Structures are given as C-alpha cells and as structure tokens.
C-alpha cells in the first residue's frame, strides 16, 4: 500500500508502458487490471529462489523475463545486493533499489519513492488510491447494508486496542441502530471469536479472509475504524472515511494521509489508555463531517 504512490508516478509518466508487479500475488492483485499494473507475478514461486543466492546459475526463463524490462524498481530487503546483482546480470535495464530501511525523516511513501528521483520523478502526494472493478463490487453486494466497518486487529498485538473496548464500542453503535461489519483475517482469529460470541444474533456481519480487491470494494462507502495496519491503508485508499487508533507508532510516518482519514492517538502511546468515549466522540465528529 505504501508503494502505490510511487507506482502511480510510473503509471502517470509512462501511461502506455507495460507495467508488471512481482510480489505476493494476493496483495499485488489490488493493482492488477485496476489502473496500476497490466500483470502480476508471484515472487513466492520456487523458480525465483536462485536469485537470492550468490553466484547462482539463473534459470533461462527468468533471465529472459527480467531482460525484457527497461526499468526495474525493487522494494525487496536486499542489504547485500544479491538479488540486485543477479537481476542486473539478466540485461541492461535501469535498476532502482528502494531504501534498505525506513526512518523517521518523512512519511514512508515519500521514502519509498525516493529512488525515482534518479529518473526525474518526484512524489508530491503520499496518498494512495485504489480502483476496485465492477466484478469486485458485485462479489460483495451482500455487505452493502452495513454502514460501519470495524477492523479490531493489526500485525502486532502492541498496536491493538483491547478487544473488550471494541465490544463496548460496538454495543453503543448497535444500540444506536448502526449495522456493523467486522473485517477479519487469519491474524484476528482469537479476537473474531470473542466478537462472534458478544454479538451473536445482532445485526453484525463478518467479512473474513476476503480477497483484498473485494475488501477494497466493501470499504468504498463505509465508515471504517481500525488500527495502524495495512488494512487501514487499504480502507483509506478505497475511499472509506477512516478513524484510526494509534498508540506508540508515529502517524506522521505510518498513517494514511488521505483527506478522509482521522487519527486518534492513545494517551502516552498506550492503547489501553484510550477511552471508548473518546473514540465515540471522534466517530461522531467524523460521521457529521467535522475534521479534528
């Protein structure tokens, strides 16, 4: 998600070029045929393993594959430049490598776009945008009645608001006639089970393990409440009005910068200290269109 602004720079500068993304295919699917990429290819295939070994005999098919590009932009963690060296051996493409490590100098999207300065491209807007297809929208029409989407997890338990507070928040929203949609993946199994039990028989739907392009379509017209997570970036880029709960991580570096995003920081960076009433107050201001 944080690389999308950089990829958009390339698409805008070279609108007629064939642009392909090599990465985790289930994630890159967000871009395939949806403005950014003409195709995606999975880097998790075993045939790419030799590109991560020194002095490896590279498979002809992949040597030809990399040799067919004029520009290769890599965001892989490659401190010893093993992947870079092997790819460079495949042809004469310009090879640009992203930063080995992100720092606190500026928003992560700006840092990831820095390599493009070598070809005269400068990022001025760090907001990411997604473009779900009609097929994506049709696949999730059964979720359209839910006005508010909650994502109670993230990639780290230290960034999560206590599940008990999520339940209290949801109870208040339900009491006010709001139908809820809970977004959940494999990382949220335990929390999801608690929410299933707490809201059994209530107007709550669960969108569990949806393909990411369909999840983007789900969130286009929702109010979204979540943490510092990739799903929050997806929600913001899809156009949801987002209320994001941040603890110890710095929103100046990691929060989506889209205009539809409100960030609420926990006192002292401790998520347990963030009160339900404060979240409800921020939600209500966002719902009626007042930015804080």
């Amino acid at each position: 998600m944080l690389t999308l602004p950089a990829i958009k720079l390339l698409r805008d500068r070279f609108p007629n070029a064939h642009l392909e993304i090599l990465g985790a295919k289930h994630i890159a699917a967000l871009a395939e045929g949806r403005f950014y990429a003409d195709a995606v290819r999975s880097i998790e295939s075993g045939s790419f393993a030799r590109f991560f070994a020194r002095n490896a005999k590279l498979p002809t098919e992949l040597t030809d594959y990399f040799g067919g590009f004029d520009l290769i932009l890599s965001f892989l963690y490659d401190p010893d430049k093993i992947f870079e060296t092997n790819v460079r051996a495949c042809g004469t493409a310009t090879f640009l490598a992203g930063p080995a490590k992100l720092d606190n100098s500026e928003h992560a999207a700006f840092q990831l776009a820095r390599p493009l300065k070598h070809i005269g491209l400068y990022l001025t807007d760090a907001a990411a945008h997604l473009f779900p297809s009609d097929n994506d929208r049709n696949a999730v029409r059964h979720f359209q009645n839910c006005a508010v989407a909650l994502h109670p997890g993230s990639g780290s338990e230290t960034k999560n608001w206590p599940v008990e507070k999520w339940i209290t928040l949801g109870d208040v929203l339900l009491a006010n006639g709001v139908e809820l949609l809970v977004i959940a993946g494999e990382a949220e199994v335990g929390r999801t089970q608690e929410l299933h039990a707490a809201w059994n028989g209530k107007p709550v739907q669960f969108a569990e393990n949806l393909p990411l392009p369909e999840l983007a379509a789900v969130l286009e017209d929702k109010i979204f409440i979540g943490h510092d997570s990739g799903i929050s970036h997806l929600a913001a880029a899809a156009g949801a009005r987002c209320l994001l709960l941040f603890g110890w991580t710095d929103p100046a570096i990691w929060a989506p910068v889209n205009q539809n995003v409100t960030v609420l920081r926990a006192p002292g960076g401790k998520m347990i200290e963030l009160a339900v009433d404060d979240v409800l107050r921020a939600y209500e201001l966002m719902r009626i269109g007042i930015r804080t």
Side-chain angles (χ1 to χ4, degrees):
M1 292 303 305
L2 288 165
T3 64
L4 283 181
I7 297 171
K8 185 177 185 298
L9 271 183
L10 289 171
R11 175 53 84 200
D12 289 343
R13 174 62 180 83
F14 305 107
N16 298 318
H18 176 85
L19 195 156
E20 190 161 329
I21 295 178
L22 175 64
K25 199 164 185 178
H26 72 287
I27 298 174
L30 284 165
E32 185 178 17
R34 298 167 178 86
F35 172 74
Y36 293 98
D38 300 289
V40 302
R41 185 164 181 166
S42 175
I43 200 170
E44 296 166 338
S45 167
S47 58
F48 284 98
R50 295 182 190 177
F51 280 82
F52 297 92
R54 293 185 188 277
N55 305 314
K57 180 175 175 56
L58 304 175
T60 301
E61 178 210 349
L62 293 180
T63 299
D64 293 342
Y65 171 73
F66 283 116
F69 292 95
D70 298 310
L71 172 67
I72 297 171
L73 172 62
S74 174
F75 295 110
L76 288 173
Y77 180 68
D78 186 29
D80 297 321
K81 298 187 176 182
I82 296 172
F83 178 80
E84 178 179 343
T85 299
N86 285 327
V87 171
R88 285 183 180 276
C90 296
T92 59
T94 298
F95 187 100
L96 301 177
K101 185 178 180 180
L102 299 183
D103 55 38
N104 294 323
S105 60
E106 58 183 343
H107 192 275
F110 284 115
Q111 296 183 56
L112 290 166
R114 284 176 189 166
L116 293 177
K117 294 179 180 180
H118 293 287
I119 58 170
L121 299 181
Y122 296 84
L123 186 67
T124 58
D125 183 4
H129 301 280
L130 291 172
F131 307 96
S133 68
D134 288 340
N135 287 339
D136 298 329
R137 296 184 183 100
N138 289 333
V140 293
R141 287 194 181 280
H142 53 292
F143 293 125
Q144 64 185 2
N145 291 333
C146 300
V148 176
L150 309 178
H151 180 232
S154 71
S156 169
E157 190 61 32
T158 65
K159 296 192 291 186
N160 291 345
W161 202 33
V163 69
E164 297 82 9
K165 295 193 175 188
W166 279 104
I167 292 171
T168 301
L169 173 68
D171 285 343
V172 174
L173 296 175
L174 289 166
N176 283 281
V178 178
E179 295 190 29
L180 299 179
L181 177 66
V182 177
I183 307 300
E186 294 180 359
E188 289 87 40
V189 171
R191 293 180 150 237
T192 305
Q193 289 174 343
E194 291 189 58
L195 298 180
H196 269 293
W199 294 331
N200 184 37
K202 297 182 179 180
V204 180
Q205 289 184 273
F206 288 79
E208 300 182 57
N209 302 311
L210 284 183
L212 294 179
E214 293 181 12
L215 181 56
V218 165
L219 295 173
E220 280 184 304
D221 59 351
K222 300 286 189 285
I223 290 177
F224 174 90
I225 307 176
H227 298 127
D228 173 13
S229 73
I231 298 301
S232 292
H233 279 269
L234 182 151
R241 286 185 287 164
C242 298
L243 173 58
L244 305 184
L245 315 181
F246 267 66
W248 59 271
T249 53
D250 186 354
I253 308 299
W254 298 110
V257 298
N258 306 63
Q259 290 296 310
N260 50 319
V261 172
T262 297
V263 172
L264 184 62
R265 297 206 74 177
K270 298 177 181 178
M271 294 297 281
I272 197 171
E273 300 296 332
L274 183 58
V276 174
D277 284 347
D278 290 336
V279 176
L280 284 167
R281 189 176 302 111
Y283 159 79
E284 186 61 26
L285 290 172
M286 184 177 66
R287 187 185 66 81
I288 61 178
I290 298 176
R291 291 185 58 82
T292 57

